[in-house]
Amino acid sequence: MAGVDTDADGRADRRGGQKRRIPPEGPAAAEVLSELFGDTDRAAVPRSLESGIEAGAEHYRRLVARVCGQDSSPDATEELEWLARALRAADQT
């Protein structure tokens, strides 16, 4: 099962090194969501994330960066999919 990579402190880690996977349905994911969103209403966030993923937003983001002469950041599709799954799981609890 896919999850978000975290560092030893449990924060999201994109640098590499020692990692552990957090399943989107688990209690640790709920902690990540609380840290990211606090008490805000996050009901519409999964739908918006999934729409962007389905529309190939990463492809367009890379294209715009290239046209502007900038380096694009790493593809975040996997992390965005995890976030959408975690939000949906949290909404069901």
Side-chain angles (χ1 to χ4, degrees):
M1 177 181 303
V4 165
D5 294 328
T6 61
D7 63 14
D9 296 324
R11 292 179 289 233
D13 181 15
R14 295 179 61 100
R15 300 166 304 198
Q18 188 66 23
K19 300 176 185 177
R20 64 184 177 97
R21 301 297 254 175
I22 297 175
E25 299 83 13
E31 292 177 30
V32 171
L33 295 176
S34 290
E35 186 177 320
L36 289 173
F37 295 102
D39 293 332
T40 60
D41 180 16
R42 44 191 192 211
V45 177
R47 186 173 50 252
S48 178
L49 284 170
E50 290 163 350
S51 295
I53 292 166
E54 289 173 9
E58 284 292 321
H59 169 74
Y60 292 108
R61 189 185 54 74
R62 285 191 308 272
L63 180 60
V64 168
R66 188 171 190 180
V67 167
C68 293
Q70 301 170 347
D71 293 331
S72 62
S73 57
D75 187 319
T77 301
E78 183 179 336
E79 290 85 0
L80 294 174
E81 289 172 342
W82 179 93
L83 183 57
R85 286 193 311 270
L87 286 164
R88 291 241 185 253
D91 190 37
Q92 303 212 351
T93 58

